[in-house]
């Protein structure tokens, strides 16, 4: 399970710090091509043998990055402050995250759960994470139009913008077998019978497996993509 946001951030902090601020944009642009993106970047910067960290599911409760923690705090307590996330993170570089979070807790209250508890907060976190705060003013009307169908809204937004950050912080939740199933179900149903052989062949090198499949077939599909394909 790979936290692509953290891995790309760490990579850029090492090889090209000026590009750190582009990680969210890259993940949005290359959604479904993460393995291919990683291999291309490590080759570009001369670290082709570098492997992203794979964390077991039992580490899923770990707190995520300081930036995402700030986004969660503001989304929960003070949505108008979401525009100040970058300046808050910059302050952490000077004073340290521990001191800044202590001040935030004193001002607002305890840190909210890693997974937002309301649809309003979930959308706010998505907007703040993927640079779409210009949509915030229209959020009440959007939620009203999806009343009773909020899960559909979340699926559409994650398909457009990228995964919900709490799933990334828990590590990549996609099981390799399920990922293969979705790819072949959409692009090549005959390939479904090859899944077990592929997983055996690429055991321990799933990064290369999915980069290969992405190059061969295209963007890795979500369950929403499969559902929409069936409707056509």
């Amino acid at each position: 399970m790979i936290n692509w946001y953290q891995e790309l951030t760490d990579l850029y902090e090492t090889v090209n710090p000026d590009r750190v601020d582009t990680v969210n944009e890259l993940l949005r642009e290359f959604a479904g091509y993460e393995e291919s993106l990683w291999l291309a970047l490590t080759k570009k910067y001369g670290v082709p043998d570098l492997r992203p960290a794979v964390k077991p599911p039992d580490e899923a409760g770990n707190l995520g990055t300081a930036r995402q923690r700030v986004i969660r705090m503001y989304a929960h307590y003070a949505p108008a402050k979401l525009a100040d996330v970058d300046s808050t993170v910059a302050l952490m570089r000077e004073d340290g995250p521990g001191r800044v979070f202590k001040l935030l807790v004193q001002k607002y209250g305890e840190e909210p759960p890693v997974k937002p508890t309301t649809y309003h907060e979930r959308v706010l976190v998505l907007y703040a994470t993927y640079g779409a705060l210009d949509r915030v003013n229209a959020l009440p009307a959007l939620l009203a139009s999806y009343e009773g169908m909020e899960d559909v809204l979340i699926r559409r937004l994650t398909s457009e913008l990228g995964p919900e950050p709490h799933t990334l912080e828990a590590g990549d939740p996609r099981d390799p077998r399920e990922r293969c199933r979705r790819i072949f179900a959409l692009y090549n149903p005959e390939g479904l019978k090859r899944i077990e052989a592929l997983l055996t062949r690429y055991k321990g090198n799933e990064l290369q497996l999915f980069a290969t499949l992405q190059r061969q077939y295209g963007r890795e599909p979500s369950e929403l993509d499969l559902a929409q394909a069936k409707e056509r």
Side-chain angles (χ1 to χ4, degrees), residues 137-154:
N137 289 339
L139 181 53
L142 182 65
L143 287 171
S145 68
Y146 277 91
E147 186 174 2
M149 300 184 296
E150 289 87 353
D151 286 333
V152 174
L153 172 61
I154 296 295

Side-chain angles (χ1 to χ4, degrees), residues 67-80:
R67 179 184 177 81
Q68 288 305 137
R69 290 170 66 189
V70 173
I71 288 175
R72 286 197 299 269
M73 287 284 286
Y74 288 158
H76 187 75
Y77 293 110

